[in-house]
Amino acid sequence: MNVLLIGSGGREHALAWKLAQSPKLGKLFAAPGNPGIAEHARLVDIDPADHRATVDFCLKNSVELVVIGPEAPLVDGLADNLRTMGFAVFGPNRIPAQLEGSKGFTKDLCARHRIPTARYARASDRLAAEAALEEFGLPVVIKADGLAAGKGVIIAQTADEAQMALSTMFDGGFGRAGSALVIEEFLTGEEASFFAITDGQTIVPFGSAQDHKRVGDGDTGPNTGGMGAYSPASILTPELERRALDEIVEPTVRALAKSGTPYSGVLYAGLMLTEDGPKLIEYNARFGDPECQVLMMRLESDILELMLATARGKLAEVPPPRFSAGAALTVVMAAKGYPDAPEKGGSIQGLEGAAASGAKLFHAGTALADGTIIANGGRVLAVTATGPNVAEAQRAAYRAVAAVDFPSGFYRRDIGWRETARAL
């Protein structure tokens, strides 16, 4: 079977690596891909925003399944157009993808169906936002309503910081994503990521992870798209995972199906584990990045079989995903200046030596220039390793990181710190 993978980041490299292991795979294409993905797929020069070109490519190359990695093409309705033309697609249509595309959409759905989440208010102008702030204490969470590459969240500790956050949002600091806001109460607890795959009817758990969003050690500095992750997250116990599925994910999927806009694909629930149980922080309509990297390293099932069954509405007919009992941990190597102004063009050496240690180096923001891998984005590499537990996976990942020669890069040195502290 021929497959087209949409995307160019570390998430898509991990998916390409796993798809290439399937005995069901014929040809794997990737648009636009990156140098790491090129090890497993034929790269094609298609802009995912050009739906007609994507459809034409699939028709000419006998593509049977399209896997959409990033959120933007999903929110833009690429899956809708591909499905209209008869292609199987792993990823939700435009309206259910609003679970990620609009935080207000998600919060309103939660309110209608009594899904546990933080108290909130919506605002589309400065005056409304300032009025809404009076209903919340401090700290307070201020979120851009639209897509902001994982960076559109500001936790204001003081009234002045809240006003600065409003200025950042409404003055275009997050582009159009900040033209409307969601203001939320600050929840106390530990965060965890829970994944499920669904064809709109059947819902199957797909593992847990814990991301590290802040740019600096000790969870300091601004939010990023993610500086590292590990899986599984032991803080999300089987009991809490069941509650997340029963109280959050399943009601969401049922609500969308009942409204005539069924969700098909992977649903990523960012959770806060509070004293009252898990509460939804936000949804993502695709695999997380870098959570996808650790999930794919632990996945023992055929990812293509699972994706195809999901796309065809036959998820109940295949065995549920099977994961290794061990752990995986990934460390993101980013370009200096990230997340504000990452330096591009820095050379990267030592990848083969790092891989020789048993780690997998998933390319994110890389390019090939005169035979040399260079930085071409903010998050550049996701160095990922496995072990019998998080501490061992952490040691293996950082050994591989030390072998990479990336002078214009940096990374956090404490990925997995909560889990390793719990093990002491």
Side-chain angles (χ1 to χ4, degrees):
M1 152 176 313
N2 294 347
V3 177
L4 173 62
L5 173 63
I6 302 292
S8 62
R11 168 184 48 232
E12 287 75 39
H13 188 182
L15 291 173
W17 173 73
K18 200 65 184 178
L19 284 165
Q21 298 171 29
S22 173
K24 303 178 186 297
L25 181 68
K27 295 178 181 178
L28 179 60
F29 305 98
N34 65 39
I37 294 173
E39 298 173 8
H40 314 288
R42 185 187 128 198
L43 305 190
V44 292
D45 187 17
I46 301 173
D47 181 357
D50 189 339
H51 296 190
R52 174 62 65 85
T54 305
V55 168
D56 287 346
F57 178 86
C58 292
L59 290 170
K60 292 175 182 177
N61 291 275
S62 302
V63 169
E64 296 179 63
L65 174 68
V66 181
V67 178
I68 303 177
E71 62 273 20
L74 296 168
V75 173
D76 190 41
L78 177 59
D80 304 63
N81 287 330
L82 287 164
R83 287 190 172 103
T84 297
M85 296 301 296
F87 297 105
V89 181
F90 185 83
N93 280 350
R94 181 183 63 81
I95 291 177
Q98 290 303 303
L99 287 177
E100 179 168 3
S102 169
K103 293 178 177 62
F105 174 94
T106 298
K107 299 296 285 191
D108 289 349
L109 184 148
C110 289
R112 289 195 302 272
H113 298 278
R114 298 183 178 180
I115 294 169
T117 189
R119 182 169 61 90
Y120 76 104
R122 300 181 67 176
S124 56
D125 59 60
R126 181 72 181 251
L127 288 177
E130 290 178 342
L133 278 174
E134 297 179 2
E135 304 298 320
F136 295 84
L138 293 169
V140 64
V141 182
I142 301 172
K143 298 179 177 179
D145 181 76
L147 297 178
K151 304 169 192 173
V153 178
I154 297 174
I155 300 173
Q157 301 288 341
T158 67
D160 286 344
E161 288 181 3
Q163 291 297 324
M164 288 177 61
L166 296 188
S167 296
T168 297
M169 300 283 184
F170 287 123
D171 291 346
F174 296 104
R176 290 189 301 170
S179 60
L181 309 183
V182 169
I183 300 171
E184 292 183 355
E185 67 171 322
F186 179 81
L187 295 177
T188 300
E190 189 167 339
E191 293 186 35
S193 303
F194 175 67
F195 298 83
I197 53 174
T198 177
D199 58 11
Q201 294 297 321
T202 301
I203 307 167
V204 180
F206 201 88
S208 67
Q210 189 172 74
D211 190 13
H212 298 63
K213 284 291 187 185
R214 299 283 187 172
V215 74
D217 289 357
D219 291 330
T220 57
N223 273 326
T224 71
M227 293 298 294
Y230 66 88
S231 174
S234 69
I235 191 72
L236 192 61
T237 63
E239 177 187 358
L240 289 175
E241 186 173 302
R242 172 50 58 183
R243 287 190 63 181
L245 188 65
D246 292 347
E247 300 173 16
I248 297 174
V249 173
E250 185 170 343
T252 300
V253 173
R254 301 294 175 231
L256 290 169
K258 187 175 181 179
S259 70
T261 57
Y263 190 102
S264 177
V266 61
L267 186 56
Y268 162 11
L271 306 174
M272 182 69 77
L273 305 181
T274 74
E275 291 181 352
D276 299 323
K279 292 188 178 183
L280 180 70
I281 301 172
E282 64 181 8
Y283 274 128
N284 290 323
R286 37 71 191 181
F287 284 111
D289 188 344
E291 296 96 334
C292 185
Q293 289 86 314
V294 290
L295 289 172
M296 291 304 115
M297 288 288 278
R298 294 184 57 232
L299 182 65
E300 296 178 340
S301 303
D302 184 339
I303 188 65
L304 179 52
E305 180 181 56
L306 288 164
M307 287 179 162
L308 188 63
T310 300
R312 290 179 172 172
K314 298 181 178 181
L315 188 55
E317 300 178 14
V318 299
R322 185 179 68 257
F323 292 89
S324 68
L329 184 141
T330 189
V331 178
V332 168
M333 302 188 76
K336 289 179 180 178
Y338 177 76
D340 297 322
E343 297 179 17
K344 292 187 177 182
S347 66
I348 305 167
Q349 305 286 342
L351 299 184
E352 292 183 0
S357 68
K360 182 66 183 176
L361 279 69
F362 294 114
H363 290 230
T366 66
L368 194 61
D370 298 324
T372 299
I373 298 294
I374 63 170
N376 192 43
R379 293 182 298 167
V380 178
L381 294 170
V383 182
T384 313
T386 58
N389 52 53
V390 170
E392 291 296 328
Q394 182 190 62
R395 280 190 279 271
Y398 278 107
R399 280 197 301 270
V401 166
V404 177
D405 182 14
F406 181 20
S408 63
F410 75 99
Y411 55 91
R412 279 184 59 165
R413 299 175 184 273
D414 63 347
I415 302 301
W417 68 270
R418 288 187 180 87
E419 191 72 4
T420 54
R422 274 190 283 269
L424 294 177

